Amino acid sequence: MSKRRTDALNRRARFHHQHRKQRGTLPCLETGGTQVYAYWERGEGLVVAVHLDTGEVPDDVISPDGTIPIRITVNGDCVFIAD
């Protein structure tokens, strides 16, 4: 994917905060048709959940085998890679 394309996807990113009046909503970053939730769960700590099945992921982001490459880092150290 080109730098121009990644920049465009990143510029369109949106943050959805948890709503007081709507129980069950969680903080979410939406980018490139994916949703990444990061929230605190009692008894578990910080939870990060990635949802790729929104139906809005552009075709050029999806690999030929139908997957989306993912790299997750914590404090700059890579902890997970899926090509």
Side-chain angles (χ1 to χ4, degrees), residues 72-79:
I72 298 174
T73 63
V74 175
N75 292 333
D77 295 325
C78 186
V79 296

Side-chain angles (χ1 to χ4, degrees), residues 21-36:
K21 296 181 180 180
Q22 295 177 347
R23 293 197 179 267
T25 62
L26 296 167
C28 172
L29 172 68
E30 188 174 327
T31 181
T34 66
Q35 296 175 336
V36 180

Side-chain angles (χ1 to χ4, degrees), residues 14-29 36-42 46-47:
R14 296 182 295 162
F15 177 72
H16 304 282
H17 63 85
Q18 183 174 17
H19 296 279
R20 279 186 178 193
K21 296 181 180 180
Q22 295 177 347
R23 293 197 179 267
T25 62
L26 296 167
C28 172
L29 172 68
V36 180
Y37 294 83
Y39 57 94
W40 294 96
E41 185 74 37
R42 187 173 158 209
L46 182 62
V47 176

Side-chain angles (χ1 to χ4, degrees), residues 44-81:
E44 292 187 38
L46 182 62
V47 176
V48 177
V50 179
H51 291 260
L52 308 174
D53 56 354
T54 65
E56 298 179 17
V57 178
D59 290 338
D60 66 325
V61 174
I62 302 171
S63 296
D65 66 357
T67 62
I68 298 173
I70 298 174
R71 179 174 50 98
I72 298 174
T73 63
V74 175
N75 292 333
D77 295 325
C78 186
V79 296
F80 178 82
I81 294 178

